[in-house]
Amino acid sequence: MNRDGTAVRKSLPIELPARLRLANLPTPLQPLSRISERFSYPCGGPRIWVKRDDLTESGMSGNKLRKLEFVTAAATGQGCDTLITCGGIQSNHCRTTALVGARLGLQVQLLLRGGTSEEMDGNFLLDHLADASVAVYLAREYKEALSGLFQYWAEDYRSRGHRPFCIPTGASDGLGIWGYIEASRELMTDCLAYGFEPEHIVCATGSGGTQAGLTLGCHLLETGCKVTGYAVCDNAAYFQAKVREDIRHWCALVGEKIETDALAVCVNADYIGPGYAQAERPVYQTIAEVASLEGLLLDPVYTGKAFHGLLQDLNMGKYAGAKNLVFVHTGGQFALFPYRQHFSFLGD
Ligand SMILES: *Cc1c(COP(=O)(O)O)cnc(C)c1O
């Protein structure tokens, strides 16, 4: 039941746009019994569930594939033959785009933020296996020149007779968030099949699109469910604005009116740690603990950091009184390997 005491909508009140089916859906919804017993129930907290979006595909696994289903449909619908996108050197979004491009027969140009000599490891290795073209920029140049870099590469491809389609960081914009608007419908259907409506949905937030889609999806479905994004970079104010910006963009694209300022956007910025793609030892310990307790792989950049934050908040009783909480596992497992030296405590 939602806040008004009426049942949750089982379908979205608005039709989905064009979509290429790339992900294996629906992904499983699974209870984390041992995690719940050890970390949640002793503090009066809810049963913890995991929505396995790390299983959307194999190489293309993770949350970006749901967004790219809508983004690539728009790109090919416009007759584009090249995808240009950007991210960190170990970007899951770039790796997913590289493999999706290969699958669809599209060229892919990646603009990556990295160092002068990056090792062929993790996602960066997979970018090369997929034969994406890769341009690596130092952090300062990347940050200052990103929109110029997109323009430069788009023009470069056009001058060679191609039709490029630019995808923003994390495919987080009014088009990409369709992936998680539709995922919230799927998730509510999963939960209802188990006989509950969750009080909380939790995810890692890096570019905001997943949280924006889930927040908007839950709003459209008229659930009383609270969506919380655990930020892995930037700060709460940044994501408060970014999530609303993506939702406003979506409104402009579909011609809907939503009071974005009235929407509850819940960002937890307490567990960012040293910064993007940097985590302290407790995060690595949580990753090891979750792998050993549940056989579930988290990553140090996104899901491990967010799940670690969730466990701390459960321990502080922040979710006390709720019955069911769903953690959306957004993928990222390939980034475990480049961080291998941080797991030196294993075997101690
Ligand atoms: C990109 C990413 C996220 C964050 O999703 P956004 O929509 O960018 O906020 C979370 N987890 C993983 C594994 C990701 O690759």
Side-chain angles (χ1 to χ4, degrees), residues 205 231-242 267-270 272:
T205 288
V232 303
C233 54
D234 298 290
N235 55 55
Y238 173 81
F239 286 116
Q240 287 281 349
K242 177 62 166 59
V267 181
N268 183 317
D270 296 341
I272 296 169

Side-chain angles (χ1 to χ4, degrees), residues 6 9 54 118 120 174 180 184 203 206 249 267 283 308 321:
T6 51
R9 294 183 63 106
D54 54 325
E118 291 290 349
M120 280 279 194
Y180 275 86
S184 26
C203 68
H249 184 215
V267 181
V283 171
H308 178 72

Side-chain angles (χ1 to χ4, degrees), residues 274-285:
Y276 178 74
Q278 293 174 283
E280 279 159 348
R281 186 163 165 145
V283 171
Y284 292 96
Q285 286 168 328

Side-chain angles (χ1 to χ4, degrees), residues 63-64 67 92 172 204-210 299 302 330-332:
N63 60 340
K64 303 310 180 310
K67 305 176 183 185
N92 298 304
S172 289
T205 288
S207 63
T210 301
D299 77 285
Y302 295 99
T330 40

Side-chain angles (χ1 to χ4, degrees), residues 9-46:
R9 294 183 63 106
K10 291 190 182 62
S11 62
L12 291 164
I14 171 165
E15 220 176 290
L16 299 184
R19 175 189 197 186
L20 298 182
R21 300 304 298 250
L22 298 165
N24 296 301
L25 302 177
T27 57
L29 176 72
Q30 299 167 344
L32 294 177
S33 317
R34 278 171 300 283
I35 293 279
S36 302
E37 268 157 35
R38 185 165 309 184
F39 296 101
S40 189
Y41 299 156
C43 311

Side-chain angles (χ1 to χ4, degrees), residues 11 214 286:
S11 62
L214 291 170
T286 291

Side-chain angles (χ1 to χ4, degrees), residues 210-271:
T210 301
Q211 185 177 350
L214 291 170
T215 302
L216 179 53
C218 285
H219 172 77
L220 294 172
L221 292 167
E222 298 169 14
T223 83
C225 181
K226 178 174 173 181
V227 176
T228 302
Y230 280 73
V232 303
C233 54
D234 298 290
N235 55 55
Y238 173 81
F239 286 116
Q240 287 281 349
K242 177 62 166 59
V243 165
R244 290 195 170 89
E245 180 187 322
D246 288 352
I247 294 174
R248 273 196 296 272
H249 184 215
W250 178 89
C251 288
L253 291 177
V254 303
E256 284 282 311
K257 253 182 122 73
I258 284 174
E259 278 299 325
T260 50
D261 290 338
L263 273 185
V265 175
C266 310
V267 181
N268 183 317
D270 296 341
Y271 303 98

